[in-house]
Amino acid sequence: MDCIFCKIISGEIPCSKVHEDDLTLVFKDINPIAPVHLLIIPKEHIASAAELGDEHRVLLGHMFAVISDLAKKLDLSSGFRIVTNCGSHAGQTVDHLHFHLLAGRELAWPPG
Ligand code: 5GP
Ligand code: ZN
C-alpha cells in the first residue's frame, strides 16, 4: 500500500519520533503550524475518522490516554488542541487516520 504514514511506521521513511507503543506512533509534523505540532497515528491503517467503528474503542481510548500523558510530559497546561481532518473539504492530505496535537501559542477559533 502506498501510504506515507505506513512507511513511517515501518521505518522506510524517517521521522522525529516522540512516542511509540504497540498501538500508536507519535512524531513531529514535518511542516509545523504551531510551536508544538505532533501527529498521533494508529499503527493499523485506517483511512480516516469516517472509517471508525465500535471495534476501535480500545484503540481510540488508548490514543487519547497517550495524548493526555504527552500533554503532562510536555507541560501543555496552557492548553492544546486535537484536530483530525476528514475528507477533502476538511483538508485531509494523508489518508491514514491522524490526530494533530497543536500547542505553544494561542490558537484561533473557529479554525476557518
Ligand atoms: P492533514 O492535512 O491530512 O490533516 O495532515 C497531514 C499532515 O502530515 C500535514 O500537517 C503534513 O505536514 C504532515 N506530513 C505529511 N508528510 C509527512 C512526512 O513525511 N513526515 C512528517 N513528519 N509529517 C508529514
Ligand atoms: Zn497507512
Side-chain angles (χ1 to χ4, degrees), residues 1 3-7 9 43-46 95-96:
M1 195 192 309
C3 170
I4 197 163
F5 284 179
C6 282
K7 287 180 180 167
I9 291 163
K43 288 191 169 174
E44 175 187 354
H45 180 89
I46 299 168
D95 289 339
H96 182 126

Side-chain angles (χ1 to χ4, degrees), residues 4-5 27-31 39 85 91-94 98 100:
I4 197 163
F5 284 179
F27 53 98
K28 293 184 181 175
D29 196 293
I30 204 167
N31 187 21
L39 299 172
N85 296 318
Q92 184 177 6
T93 57
V94 178
H98 49 283
H100 297 259

Side-chain angles (χ1 to χ4, degrees), residues 18-35:
V18 173
H19 169 88
E20 181 171 16
D21 60 53
D22 53 334
L23 294 176
T24 71
L25 181 66
V26 182
F27 53 98
K28 293 184 181 175
D29 196 293
I30 204 167
N31 187 21
I33 61 166

